[in-house]
Amino acid sequence: MKEQTNNKVAHPLTWIPSTWFAMGLPFVALSTAATLMYKNLGVSDAKIAFWTSLIMMPWTLKPLWGPFLELYKTKKFFVFVTQILTGLLFGLVGISLQLDAFFSVSIGILAIIAISGATHDTAADGVYLNELSATLQAKYVGWQGAFYNIAKVFSGGALVYLAGQLEKNIGVVNAWMIVMFAYGLIMILLGIYNMRAIPSGQPAAQTSSLKEGFSTLKDVIISFFQKKYIWFSLAFIVFYRFAEGQAIKIIPLFFKASREEGGLGLSTSEIGLLYGVFGAIAFVLGSILAGNYVAKNGLNRKTLLVLCAFFNIPFAAYAFLAIAMPTNLYLIAGAVIVEYFGYGFGFVGLILFMMQNIAPGKYKMAHYAFGSGLMNLGFMIPSMISGYLSDHLGYKEFFIWVLIATIPAFIVSWLVPLRKPDDNEEIASDQ
């Protein structure tokens, strides 16, 4: 496949939205939409939570192959190639749902999608860090978060709503097969667009052989753990999402479960409507407003605590739903709006923290990948056990526990040392 090149500087808004939408779509498909798919196909909550969490492991391990992306072509090349590959793999997931052993086959293909998606994210973050100055990183981080979150609500909203409508007419299996095909088509189209839109950057030059790749990886790991305050920073990125990691898998299962089981008894289409309409608007608003907020105030102790509060406190909305068990869809939508706005607003703080406190130095892309990989570990491990916790506690007590689990995020947000972005590192001017 021939890589297209750009002679002129591409404006960030011509490639950031499409790239971060492509980053969010497979991640959310695996972590959230797949849970509803398997729920409707009769798989148990504990099995769903465990396996759809375990296959997220590549997003934790991606730093281990990040340096080898320097061996060939450019970061742009890996971005659009993995988008197209991911699209083809989603098509195979759809076909696998027709098999008797659909769960084992489809979960295996989803695991390969996770590897492709994690590789994509590493390369995309490398493009962002190398093409934009510290000032521009702060300026566009809200857009980055917004379109990642748009992918989240599109996946958990529009496509889930579509699945719910199709289930009524053609059955669960065929409905989700079509939805998987839709995921695939979207990813392929994004890959074709980004083949031209993403700035080409510099060709791979840091490593020239496999041996040198391993040598670079060793240097990347050593220099990463030599960073000042690195252990404080790692504690921050792991515990910031500790409560979210537990809640995110169970929320759609709670919405779908019958009222006799302590759930809200919503249909698949109603869940899609909640995420795709109410959640979408709240997400985008929260992300963009947070980008403006941190661009104006900088990332300091006060702003970080504000972002942490926006990210974690809204989980109280689900504790309210589990206790009150409302039947009014608009009241349920109000809780979704509160949580999604807070998520969009608060997640920006985590991304900017990694850009300004984890990534700076010789290996920006690799060190950012280490940070985001460990961030995913903080999300993945709680997610893996969340199904067992909710089964043991029940939905009401589980969401009360989630509120208690937010406490570590506030502690690390208060204690973590912060560094100011080094303007001397800027490689681009405002566009």
Side-chain angles (χ1 to χ4, degrees):
M1 184 177 296
K2 185 177 180 180
E3 181 178 353
Q4 303 292 325
T5 58
N6 297 327
N7 294 322
K8 61 181 181 179
V9 177
H11 191 282
L13 291 184
T14 63
W15 56 273
I16 289 174
S18 59
T19 303
W20 263 260
F21 186 90
M23 183 183 291
L25 198 66
F27 185 90
V28 177
L30 271 61
S31 65
T32 304
T35 64
L36 273 175
M37 178 180 75
Y38 287 130
K39 177 79 170 178
N40 291 354
L41 290 169
V43 183
S44 69
D45 285 9
K47 191 174 181 180
I48 291 170
F50 179 81
W51 285 104
T52 60
S53 298
L54 184 62
I55 61 173
M56 309 303 284
M57 181 66 78
W59 274 282
T60 297
L61 300 179
K62 63 183 179 180
L64 299 181
W65 62 83
F68 297 97
L69 301 185
E70 306 288 356
L71 287 168
Y72 183 69
K73 292 283 190 176
T74 62
K75 298 175 183 68
K76 169 187 174 177
F77 173 82
F78 287 101
V79 171
F80 72 76
V81 166
T82 51
Q83 288 172 3
I84 293 172
L85 174 62
T86 296
L88 295 173
L89 289 168
F90 269 122
L92 292 179
V93 173
I95 294 171
S96 74
L97 297 180
Q98 301 289 338
L99 303 175
D100 291 337
F102 74 89
F103 182 77
S104 57
V105 175
S106 62
I107 207 76
I109 300 171
L110 289 175
I112 300 172
I113 290 176
I115 296 171
S116 177
T119 303
H120 168 274
D121 294 3
T122 300
D125 289 333
V127 173
Y128 191 88
L129 292 168
N130 288 331
E131 293 294 324
L132 302 183
S133 67
T135 300
L136 289 177
Q137 288 171 16
K139 180 178 179 180
Y140 290 106
V141 70
W143 289 95
Q144 182 195 94
F147 278 87
Y148 184 93
N149 290 333
I150 288 173
K152 179 173 183 177
V153 295
F154 179 78
S155 177
L159 292 180
V160 167
Y161 180 82
L162 174 63
Q165 293 300 106
L166 291 173
E167 284 176 357
K168 300 173 186 177
N169 299 314
I170 60 175
V172 174
V173 174
N174 290 331
W176 282 98
M177 180 181 70
I178 291 174
V179 168
M180 289 297 116
F181 287 166
Y183 275 115
L185 179 61
I186 292 167
M187 289 300 299
I188 290 170
L189 291 176
L190 286 168
I192 294 171
Y193 170 79
N194 284 325
M195 194 184 301
R196 299 191 64 89
I198 297 174
S200 296
Q202 296 298 316
Q206 292 185 10
T207 57
S208 57
S209 67
L210 191 60
K211 180 180 179 181
E212 192 173 346
F214 280 108
S215 177
T216 300
L217 176 60
K218 179 181 177 181
D219 193 32
V220 164
I221 295 172
I222 292 173
S223 59
F224 180 81
F225 287 102
Q226 287 177 339
K227 286 178 180 284
K228 192 174 183 180
Y229 304 128
I230 187 60
W231 294 108
F232 285 99
S233 296
L234 294 182
F236 173 81
I237 62 177
V238 167
F239 286 109
Y240 194 87
R241 301 184 72 185
F242 183 65
E244 180 218 356
Q246 297 177 73
I248 202 71
K249 291 286 181 185
I250 304 304
I251 291 167
L253 302 177
F254 163 63
F255 283 168
K256 184 70 179 176
S258 68
R259 290 187 165 268
E260 291 75 15
E261 298 172 318
L264 296 184
L266 301 179
S267 69
T268 303
S269 294
E270 285 174 327
I271 297 171
L273 184 67
L274 288 174
Y275 288 153
V277 177
F278 300 103
I281 296 170
F283 244 139
V284 175
L285 263 177
S287 298
I288 293 176
L289 289 177
N292 292 332
Y293 175 71
V294 295
K296 179 180 178 181
N297 298 285
L299 192 66
N300 53 49
R301 181 77 54 220
K302 179 182 176 181
T303 58
L304 192 59
L305 283 169
V306 169
L307 292 163
C308 178
F310 268 95
F311 190 76
N312 285 282
I313 291 177
F315 288 121
Y318 295 115
F320 163 75
L321 292 180
I323 294 169
M325 299 284 289
T327 57
N328 187 301
L329 191 63
Y330 290 103
L331 183 58
I332 299 170
V336 172
I337 289 170
V338 168
E339 193 269 321
Y340 268 54
F341 180 87
Y343 186 95
F345 198 98
F347 196 73
V348 166
L350 186 57
I351 297 300
L352 197 58
F353 176 87
M354 290 195 298
M355 287 180 179
Q356 295 184 358
N357 290 265
I358 297 290
K362 181 181 178 182
Y363 301 106
K364 284 185 179 180
M365 182 181 78
H367 285 172
Y368 186 88
F370 260 97
S372 59
L374 289 165
M375 173 190 72
N376 186 66
L377 184 65
F379 172 90
M380 187 189 76
I381 293 176
S383 293
M384 289 176 67
I385 64 172
S386 61
Y388 296 100
L389 282 174
S390 67
D391 283 352
H392 179 70
L393 297 173
Y395 290 121
K396 181 172 70 175
E397 288 77 9
F398 173 79
F399 285 114
I400 292 172
W401 158 250
V402 167
L403 290 179
I404 297 171
T406 65
I407 294 174
F410 287 94
I411 294 173
V412 294
S413 296
W414 176 257
L415 295 177
V416 67
L418 299 173
R419 69 182 291 275
K420 294 182 179 179
D422 185 357
D423 290 332
N424 293 327
E425 292 178 353
E426 296 192 0
I427 60 174
S429 59
D430 267 325
Q431 299 182 36

